[in-house]
Structure formats: C-alpha cells, structure tokens
Amino acid sequence: MESNKILSMESRAPALIVRDWVRGEALASFQPGKVYILEFCGTSCDSCDEAMLKLIELQETYKDRGVEVVAVVAHEGAASADEARAYLEAWSAQFPELNFRVAFDTGAMDTLWMEPSFSVEIPQAFVIDRDGYIAFIGHPHDLHEVLPKILDGTWRTSAQAQAAERERIAEDEPKAREEALKKQVKAKFAAAEKIEDWKTALAAIEEGVALDPDNLLFREAHVHLLLHKMHDMQTGLPLLRQLVREGINTNYEMMLTVASYQLFNPAYDYSQFPSVERFAIGKELSEHILAEARLQDDDDRAHSYLMVAWYYHASGNKERAVELLELALQPLDGPGPDGLKDDLLQTLADYKGEK
C-alpha cells in the first residue's frame, strides 16, 4: 500500500487500518459528529508513557463532548506480530486508568498517516474533527491548548493554526526526507545481505553512514560487515576502535555494548582477527564497562558482567569469567530482560564444562 499524497491540516482523514485491537472494541472507521485523537506511540519510546497519561486525562475530561482517543503502536521492533502484541499488552498494563482504545499495526498506518504528513518522531498526535478532516498534527503535549479550540470550531481556520502548521512542515519535512533516504539505504543493504553480495552491501551502508554519521545502527552494520563478513581488518578495526573511544568518552552504553559484541560475541568466528589488537581493545573496553557497572541496577549490571566475562574467557582467564557470571546471577530473581538469566546460566555452564 502506497500513498504519495501530502497529509496536512485540512486534509480528509485517511482510513483507519490496524492489525489488531489490544484494548477496547474494534473501530472500523471514524464516525461523523465525533472528534478523534489518534496518537502514534511505542513501547520503547521514552516520552510515550507521559503522553499516554496525558491522553487518559484528556479522554476523561472531554468524554462527554464526543471526544475519543485512539492509540496506535506502529513502531515495534519485535520479530513477529504475536511478539509485538505481547509487548504491547505488558506495556499497556502499566496504565490501570487506561480509558481508550489501543491498537497495533505493522505498516499500513505509517504509510497512510505518518509518512505523508512528514511525521518521523513519536509520540505524534492527529486530531480528526467532527467533519472527518484533520484539524491538528503535532506533539500530544499541545492538545491541552488546541483541543478546546477544535471543539468550539475556532481552530482549523485560525491564523494561529495556519502558522503552527507551516512551522511544523518546515521543521519536519527535512527530517522526513532524510528518513526516507535512510529507509532506502536499509532496503538496499538488506537485499544485498540476503544474497551475501557484500560489496553492494558495503556501498549501501557507507551511503547510510555518510547520510547520518551518528546513526549507531549504520555504524554497527558497517563494522560488522567489514570485520565478520569481508574480513577487512585494515579498514574495520580502526572503525571499531573509534566506536570504543567514543563509547568510553561519552559513556554511551549502547555503543559500548555494540563494540563488545563485535569483539567477543561467542557466536562469531575470530580466527582471522589479530589477537594482540583484539585483546588490547577488549581490555580497555572491559575495564570501563566494569567501572561503570557499579552504578547500574541489577539487570544492567548483569548484562555488563556477561560482556566482560566474554572478554576474560576469550583471553584465557576462565576463573575471572566464572566469578563475574556468578556475581551477575546472585541478585537476579526473575528471568531478566530478553532471557538474560538463561544466557548467564548457559554461559556459566559452558565455561564450567557442565550441561
């Protein structure tokens, strides 16, 4: 499904096409005479939790004036629709006062709503007025001011609304165009990776890094491709060292994790890596991760200890690796995020030569 039509204030509202409804009854279409707040959100979006709480307040305040809130989660990184639904159900359960419909989707709503309106970031809200036209596109925190004006019919044709919409488009259109280019890069990279055409994959990912030099996903794919697929140590290792340096200087945990995975993930083959350089980089990285682990909560510390254990085991210090894994396991009550406890137990058994 494709849509090349620009979506803005005064546009007719597109269709409501979702994969499934997680909370509330299914809504097939927007009904005339009602005002709908359609919010795009996600379970891993930091500001979406606060936006959901604000929407609960708005729904309660304006329920008698024909306002209905609908939340759509359309940006999940889950492997399957079932997994996305499970994440969403767990996430929505943290809002006991939830008083509106929640759905999830895997593509159509982005194509119909987000992309044509130059919307890139979430949470993002659309207000559909009683006539079925879009009266507002923007951040949910602006709804407290805008919604009363939409309800009394003074907003959509006001100079303030026109100015706000021009400002939104001027700010969001360049972001959306860059995002579209990044999407093309990802598609080219994925297609080349699928057929193991590493030269084409490299050209695609280099295009992505040039487009967005700070994009960690692109940088990780670049390093991984060079080191683990093309075995180009001369080009790949300096890029990996740069990741480690930046990760340490900024204490960017995700960057440190990415670097650690490239150096010591047990699933990778390191037979073509220069050992001296690999362990020199690993020592600096692991010492930093260990120092910072003291300030982390139990789950994050356990994950840090697992990564550092990989380094010690690979470098020959099995006793220290086992010690770290046992320390990581001590405070964990449940399975931890993404099966962390199982990973720790399995790695510990492997290092001890047990089942």
Side-chain angles (χ1 to χ4, degrees):
M1 182 180 301
E2 294 188 5
S3 174
N4 296 317
K5 185 179 177 183
I6 293 175
L7 197 64
S8 61
M9 194 181 69
E10 298 283 8
S11 295
R12 194 83 183 169
L16 180 64
I17 303 174
V18 301
R19 172 135 188 162
D20 200 4
W21 294 92
V22 177
R23 289 290 186 96
E25 296 179 5
L27 180 66
S29 61
F30 301 114
Q31 301 302 307
K34 291 189 175 182
V35 172
Y36 291 91
I37 300 171
L38 176 67
E39 190 216 23
F40 285 78
C41 54
T43 62
S44 56
C45 153
D46 290 341
S47 54
C48 288
D49 288 5
E50 182 183 352
M52 289 288 282
L53 294 172
K54 296 290 185 186
L55 288 170
I56 289 169
E57 289 179 17
L58 284 173
Q59 180 65 85
E60 181 62 28
T61 302
Y62 293 103
K63 63 182 180 182
D64 295 330
R65 297 187 64 183
V67 173
E68 290 197 20
V69 175
V70 179
V72 175
V73 176
H75 298 83
E76 295 306 286
S80 67
D82 287 343
E83 190 175 308
R85 183 186 175 90
Y87 284 160
L88 181 51
E89 287 177 341
W91 177 70
S92 60
Q94 71 180 304
F95 307 109
E97 307 296 323
L98 192 62
N99 52 4
F100 52 81
R101 293 177 174 92
V102 179
F104 82 91
D105 184 58
T106 53
M109 291 298 283
D110 262 348
T111 304
L112 289 169
W113 292 82
M114 293 288 282
E115 292 170 10
S117 63
F118 309 122
S119 299
V120 173
E121 298 168 349
I122 54 173
Q124 181 79 320
F126 297 77
V127 179
I128 300 93
D129 68 13
R130 301 185 197 281
D131 300 322
Y133 287 88
I134 293 175
F136 171 81
I137 303 172
H139 198 284
H141 62 49
D142 293 326
L143 291 173
H144 283 282
E145 177 189 350
V146 172
L147 189 57
K149 298 175 184 178
I150 292 174
L151 289 169
D152 65 23
T154 62
W155 173 257
R156 211 174 83 197
T157 56
S158 69
Q160 183 185 0
Q162 304 293 332
E165 181 67 349
R166 285 194 298 272
E167 184 179 337
R168 179 191 73 82
I169 291 174
E171 184 178 335
D172 289 351
E173 187 174 6
K175 295 180 190 175
R177 298 208 182 283
E178 182 177 309
E179 199 63 29
L181 289 173
K182 288 193 280 189
K183 193 174 180 180
Q184 292 174 15
V185 166
K186 291 173 185 175
K188 283 191 281 189
F189 177 76
E193 187 180 38
K194 188 174 182 180
I195 60 173
E196 299 188 1
D197 179 356
W198 304 129
K199 186 176 178 181
T200 301
L202 180 62
I205 209 65
E206 285 176 342
E207 183 183 341
V209 171
L211 180 68
D212 186 1
D214 295 325
N215 188 302
L216 186 55
L217 289 175
F218 285 157
R219 293 179 68 183
E220 178 183 15
H222 194 197
V223 169
H224 181 79
L225 181 62
L226 287 165
L227 294 178
H228 295 286
K229 299 299 182 184
M230 303 179 79
H231 308 294
D232 182 352
M233 303 296 151
Q234 187 174 355
T235 309
L237 280 173
L239 293 178
L240 180 57
R241 281 198 301 272
Q242 186 179 352
L243 270 184
V244 172
R245 274 198 307 273
E246 286 183 36
I248 290 174
N249 289 339
T250 60
N251 198 31
Y252 183 9
E253 286 184 27
M254 187 57 69
M255 190 173 283
L256 297 171
T257 298
V258 163
S260 185
Y261 271 62
Q262 298 307 314
L263 281 165
F264 297 110
N265 191 329
Y268 297 158
D269 176 11
Y270 293 96
S271 59
Q272 298 191 45
F273 271 60
S275 294
V276 172
E277 188 158 10
R278 179 187 174 210
F279 292 122
I281 298 172
K283 184 175 186 292
E284 181 185 9
L285 175 63
S286 297
E287 286 176 351
H288 179 83
I289 291 174
L290 268 185
E292 292 300 320
R294 293 173 300 175
L295 307 174
Q296 295 173 335
D297 63 27
D298 290 343
D299 286 338
D300 286 343
R301 189 182 305 113
H303 186 253
S304 294
Y305 283 176
L306 174 61
M307 290 189 297
V308 178
W310 288 348
Y311 157 70
Y312 278 113
H313 189 267
S315 60
N317 192 344
K318 189 175 82 170
E319 291 76 14
R320 178 63 171 145
V322 167
E323 179 188 3
L324 283 169
L325 292 172
E326 289 175 340
L327 282 171
L329 282 162
Q330 282 176 9
L332 295 186
D333 295 326
D338 300 321
L340 175 60
K341 190 170 185 178
D342 287 343
D343 288 345
L344 289 164
L345 288 168
Q346 184 61 61
T347 305
L348 183 60
D350 291 342
Y351 289 179
K352 287 184 169 183
E354 301 169 352
K355 289 187 178 180

